[in-house]
Amino acid sequence: MKSSFLIKILCSNKDELLEHALKKVFFERDSVEIKYSEGPNNFLEDYYIVRPDIIVVDSYKFSVEVINYIRNQANDSDVYILVILDKSEFELKEEILNQGADDFLIKPFSYGEEEIISRLNVAKRHTILYKQLTIAYNRLSKEIETVSGLQQKLLPKSTLEFPGVFIDFFYEPSDRASGDYFDFFPVKENILRVVIADVSGHGSKAAFIMSMVRALVRISKKILMPLDELLTTINNELIEVIGEDIDFVTLFAADIDVKNMELSYINAGHCPGMLITNENRIDLLEADYSVLGFFSQEFKIKKVPIKKCRGILLITDGYYEWNLDINNIWGFNNFKKFLEQIFIREKEFYLDMLETYLNRQLELPPMYRDDRSALWIKFKHSNYQKY
Amino acid sequence: METLNFKKAEKYNIIKYSGELTLDVVEELKEEISKFIDEGGDDKCIVFDLSDISFMDSSGIGFLVYLNNVNKTKNKKLYLLKPSGAVKKTLSLVNLLNFFEIIEDESELDIEIE
């Protein structure tokens, strides 16, 4: 097998038979660098200079030192370690494997050079496979990173000046591309449309569905489309594209009428919208419809007065779906109770403030497992007379 | 720890999954369970015991809906047996609790089948 990668080999000492076998395994056309260390004292220094893919180390005592250092202190679990034991050390072969060696050979080589060659071939195959996997993994990671970056570009970058309201938003991605989406834009002089959605799953598929939902939502920015029509369009499109798979979208969409102080909304399987009253009670705008993308639904808009409300908070489930311990999830109800206390204590509310509370006031800092998105729309009562 | 068990009964087959029903396991479950359902031949009912699910994320929800739809196309009926509190809470939040046939006891199934 010819390798197209540079393979670096570090041997603890020169051995004629080993040197000959190495020459046979790694052909001249292979890209290979072989370094023979000049004794144990130079070995670790050589390890840092060469950064080998394969280590061939002689004698039990020295091998234990090398393996212990490389695996535990240098934290290098990638390098392939082949140990050559003396015949008198035969009993220690299991121990050396348990310490972290990948393979061993017993000296004198009972089957001669052929045995060394076959073991070196194993090391070569292992190294080539590892390098191929690393390249494939890096390529995938880069693609996910690109998708994740593109996805974040689809979210609002700055807040919007809209009379009668103050808009605050927060987004924290998890380590993978995912499907959180939120948006806000005027649909009439006195009506602000707010949307928050969550695509099931993670990765480029979720990000693709998220961008599709965004495109459909954004149509309603250009062409006036009532909420029920918008939800029907999104649902039908999703059924067509993902209807037979396990993916779906939860979505909460609302129109805030700052002139008539009324909020119209549809909640399709999303976690409840939270309307904060002036008495700091949280009224839940729960899902009346199921998630989007599975089956047809007939949506109807619900309306609630917001005259006596401080604002509305919309979130994705990443805020409360994290483990308190191995068996218990924090959950929505705990999040709601926690939030109520903040609103009672604080006259002004910002999403950064929620972060501070979550990080400082809980017994243990939250261990989030998903993306988190939040939209806080504060109703500015002093500006109502404009309309 | 996640475990998946299959039990073939006289009138229906039971699948029991324990652990977290999340994105990390659904693809593998899809494969294993589809194979089991296909081997079930003419059985009209599939029972999915969810009593030991400690957590279910959105991919878990999607998986249950997928399973329901797959069974429907094969003229089989899916029952969710004794869903845990975590499963019920999650299905209720996304308004899907009524979408599934839920039974709290296997004896209910005997009556349904009769």
Side-chain angles (χ1 to χ4, degrees), chain A residues 230-332:
Chain A
L230 174 66
L231 271 275
T232 305
T233 307
I234 297 173
N235 194 33
N236 291 345
E237 288 294 322
L238 288 173
I239 291 170
E240 211 177 302
V241 178
I242 57 168
E244 282 172 12
D245 220 328
I246 64 167
D247 310 287
F248 63 87
V249 175
T250 69
L251 188 140
F252 183 105
D255 282 344
I256 301 169
D257 183 341
V258 290
K259 183 179 172 187
N260 300 305
M261 292 314 287
E262 191 177 63
L263 181 134
S264 312
Y265 74 95
I266 297 175
N267 185 348
H270 199 76
C271 48
M274 288 167 278
L275 207 51
I276 319 298
T277 68
N278 287 344
E279 294 82 35
N280 299 313
R281 195 183 64 239
I282 298 179
D283 289 346
L284 298 181
L285 309 180
E286 290 180 276
D288 295 302
Y289 299 93
S290 196
V291 297
L292 308 176
F294 282 148
F295 39 78
S296 293
Q297 300 182 70
E298 210 172 294
F299 301 100
K300 276 188 184 146
I301 301 166
K302 261 193 171 176
K303 290 177 188 258
V304 283
I306 52 170
K307 232 173 230 165
K308 293 174 181 171
C309 293
R310 285 176 68 174
I312 183 168
L313 178 66
L314 304 172
I315 57 164
T316 52
D317 55 11
Y319 266 95
Y320 56 84
E321 274 191 356
W322 49 269
N323 284 70
L324 280 174
D325 53 52
I326 196 155
N327 293 316
N328 294 299
I329 298 289
W330 196 43
F332 181 77

Side-chain angles (χ1 to χ4, degrees), chain A residues 16-30:
Chain A
E16 209 178 303
L17 212 52
L18 175 70
E19 201 179 346
H20 197 250
L22 278 169
K23 274 184 188 159
K24 280 201 162 176
V25 171
F26 295 94
F27 314 114
E28 271 178 31
R29 61 180 187 276
D30 276 331

